[in-house]
């Protein structure tokens, strides 16, 4: 079940003003922040944050310090149509993840009809022909494709229908996009493990992050190892495995057969949990025997002891960018801007000094 997302006071104010602007309630110059705050019986700070959000979305225009904002000429409903936006996710489980339900909510709050496709990228086998067939049979004014491989993102960028890449591999592709920039956080996590004495560090990511060539954060990981004099091997440090639970478990088993990793950097929550279970089944402790880093953050981590070493970023700017893109498209404006949100490495209790490598090998 997806989480109920409670809007903050500024978000509630912004949603209300957004609807009123679209309906033509406000036009020309908006009243000042203090006047609006008094009218709606809210704090000045909350009202200012709401007005700044609408300014970011292009609905309001700043006229300089100390002057009231004006309503953008293209902001009213007579010049902005409601879009029917199809959302294509990676796999069915992600339908219930907060980030994607947040995306649907952000689009609907912006006044558009956003819906999830019945098929996912995994259902379609990542096959371009099947993706193209789905798109041709779906009535949609625009598309949001979530966590897509690079080739599929390129395909959407080449289509006439406006598309938005939410997460996934979109760097330097001419498509509107938003997601976290995990590269600096990856370098920070790898560097911290190296400081702890780790050399057998393995990053586990899905095939679409490695093929046809490693993504930005994967390349940064290998480069950081090489920068410390290690012979960074994609075969060992960024190993191949076919998508699916059985293949992932088999890859974990083979990794610990000959040269067991002393640290694992794992791309997704699902893979992280599977790895924890694998290690527990072999009586390997975290971080005593193996250090773990998750490249995603989850609210469940707040309940974990030891705390999980992870990468974290703020979703709010990503959702704002998505809503802004939809509004731009609705006004007939071309929008292919790439937007990256800063991600940071948070050191938790699941990493520590390098373990006794020989003992782990004997126990396996």
């Amino acid at each position: 079940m997806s989480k109920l997302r409670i809007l903050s006071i500024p978000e509630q104010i912004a949603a209300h003003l957004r609807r009123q602007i679209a309906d033509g309630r406000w036009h020309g110059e908006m009243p000042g922040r203090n006047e609006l705050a008094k009218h709606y019986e809210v704090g000045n700070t909350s009202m200012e944050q709401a007005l700044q959000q609408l300014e970011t979305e292009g609905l309001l225009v700043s006229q300089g310090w100390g002057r009231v904002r004006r309503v953008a000429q293209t902001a009213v409903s007579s010049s902005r149509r409601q879009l029917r936006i199809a959302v294509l996710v990676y796999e069915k489980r992600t339908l219930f993840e907060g980030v994607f339900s947040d995306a649907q909510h952000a689009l609907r709050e912006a006044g558009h009809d956003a819906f999830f496709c019945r098929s996912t990228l995994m259902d379609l086998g990542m096959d371009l022909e099947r993706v193209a067939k789905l798109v041709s049979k779906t009535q949609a004014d625009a598309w949001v494709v979530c966590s897509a491989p690079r080739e599929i993102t390129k395909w959407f960028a080449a289509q006439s229908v406006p598309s938005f890449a939410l997460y996934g591999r979109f760097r330097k592709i001419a498509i509107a996009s938003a997601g976290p920039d995990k590269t600096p956080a990856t370098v920070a996590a790898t560097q911290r493990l190296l400081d702890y004495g780790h050399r057998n560090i393995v990053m586990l990511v899905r095939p679409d992050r490695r093929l046809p060539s490693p993504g930005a954060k994967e390349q940064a990981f290998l480069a950081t190892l090489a920068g410390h004099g290690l012979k960074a091997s994609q075969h060992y440090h960024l190993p191949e495995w076919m998508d699916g639970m059985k293949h992932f478990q088999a890859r974990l088993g083979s990794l610990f057969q000959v040269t067991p990793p002393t640290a694992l950097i794992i791309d997704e929550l699902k893979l992280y949990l599977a790895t924890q279970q694998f290690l527990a089944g072999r009586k390997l402790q975290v971080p005593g025997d193996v250090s773990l880093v998750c490249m995603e953050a989850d609210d469940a981590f707040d309940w974990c002891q030891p705390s999980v070493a992870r990468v974290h970023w703020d979703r709010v700017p990503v959702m704002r960018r998505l809503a802004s893109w939809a509004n731009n498209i609705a006004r007939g404006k071309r929008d292919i801007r790439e937007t990256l949100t800063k991600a940071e490495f948070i050191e938790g209790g699941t990493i520590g000094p390098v373990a006794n490598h020989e003992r782990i090998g004997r126990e396996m």
Side-chain angles (χ1 to χ4, degrees):
M1 180 178 294
S2 60
K3 296 178 182 178
L4 176 65
R5 182 174 181 271
I6 306 299
L7 296 179
S8 66
I9 291 177
E11 288 175 328
Q12 294 179 53
I13 298 169
H16 179 76
L17 292 177
R18 190 184 295 114
R19 287 191 295 269
Q20 289 202 323
I21 290 172
D23 293 339
R25 167 67 176 81
W26 301 109
H27 53 84
E29 290 188 338
M30 287 287 290
R33 175 198 64 192
N34 295 349
E35 182 179 344
L36 286 168
K38 183 177 180 181
H39 177 76
Y40 289 106
E41 298 182 350
V42 297
N44 290 346
T45 300
S46 294
M47 179 57 69
E48 177 62 25
Q49 291 174 351
L51 293 171
Q52 287 179 3
Q53 180 172 330
L54 296 180
E55 190 177 318
T56 300
E57 294 173 9
L59 299 180
L60 298 180
V61 178
S62 172
Q63 300 190 98
W65 178 259
R67 300 181 62 186
V68 297
R69 297 169 172 87
R70 62 178 174 82
V71 178
Q73 292 182 355
T74 56
V76 295
S77 58
S78 59
S79 58
R80 194 194 84 180
R81 63 192 178 101
Q82 182 190 55
L83 298 178
R84 180 169 168 79
I85 303 176
V87 182
L88 178 60
V89 300
Y90 190 92
E91 58 184 335
K92 280 190 168 60
R93 74 171 182 88
T94 56
L95 288 170
F96 305 106
E97 288 187 350
V99 63
F100 297 116
S101 82
D102 282 356
Q104 184 186 43
H105 179 83
L107 291 170
R108 288 182 171 177
E109 277 296 315
H112 304 290
D113 176 19
F115 64 95
F116 290 115
C117 296
R118 290 185 178 180
S119 297
T120 68
L121 289 171
M122 286 289 285
D123 292 335
L124 300 170
M126 304 293 172
D127 185 277
L128 277 176
E129 289 187 6
R130 297 177 68 185
V131 170
K133 188 175 181 180
L134 172 70
V135 172
S136 68
K137 289 186 174 182
T138 304
Q139 292 185 347
D141 301 308
W143 284 78
V144 176
V145 56
C146 307
S147 303
R150 191 166 184 82
E151 290 305 310
I152 290 178
T153 304
K154 283 184 176 180
W155 183 87
F156 272 97
Q159 305 310 302
S160 59
V161 62
S163 301
F164 189 97
L166 182 61
Y167 305 140
R169 299 192 63 178
F170 57 75
R171 301 293 291 272
K172 298 182 180 179
I173 298 176
I175 187 172
S177 53
D181 180 7
K182 295 184 181 180
T183 300
T186 301
V187 172
T190 308
Q191 181 61 59
R192 190 66 182 120
L193 291 170
L194 289 165
D195 292 343
Y196 273 127
H198 294 275
R199 294 299 180 266
N200 295 344
I201 308 172
V202 172
M203 176 179 278
L204 292 169
V205 299
R206 290 194 192 235
D208 57 84
R209 291 296 316 177
R210 292 180 274 105
L211 301 172
S213 60
K217 74 174 187 287
E218 290 78 16
Q219 291 182 32
F221 164 69
L222 295 173
T224 304
L225 296 180
H228 283 74
L230 299 177
K231 293 182 178 179
S233 164
Q234 192 169 329
H235 176 73
Y236 176 75
H237 295 98
L238 191 65
E240 295 182 2
W241 53 280
M242 294 176 62
D243 214 346
M245 180 269 292
K246 291 183 179 179
H247 296 294
F248 182 69
Q249 292 288 339
R251 172 50 69 192
L252 284 173
S254 65
L255 280 172
F256 283 84
Q257 285 292 330
V258 181
T259 308
T262 61
L264 295 169
I265 300 176
I266 304 166
D267 195 33
E268 299 177 38
L269 174 62
K270 180 169 68 174
L271 304 183
Y272 182 86
L273 295 176
T275 302
Q276 280 188 318
Q277 187 180 46
F278 172 89
L279 296 175
R282 285 151 181 78
K283 298 182 180 179
L284 295 175
Q285 296 182 349
V286 177
D289 297 315
V290 182
S291 288
L292 294 182
V293 176
C294 185
M295 294 300 292
E296 287 187 356
D298 190 271
D299 292 342
F301 288 167
D302 295 334
W303 292 75
C304 295
Q305 287 294 334
S307 58
V308 177
R310 61 198 183 273
V311 172
H312 180 268
W313 64 94
D314 187 359
R315 293 177 183 172
V316 173
V318 177
M319 297 302 110
R320 287 180 180 172
R321 170 67 184 115
L322 177 61
S324 175
W325 163 79
N327 289 335
N328 286 338
I329 297 303
R331 299 184 189 104
K333 180 180 177 181
R334 186 170 184 262
D335 184 346
I336 56 170
R337 180 164 55 92
E338 175 186 294
T339 306
L340 295 174
T341 298
K342 180 182 177 181
E344 62 176 336
F345 169 60
I346 299 176
E347 182 173 345
T350 55
I351 67 172
V354 66
N356 186 326
H357 184 273
E358 293 184 357
R359 183 183 68 79
I360 295 176
R362 288 196 301 268
E363 292 186 356
M364 294 302 296

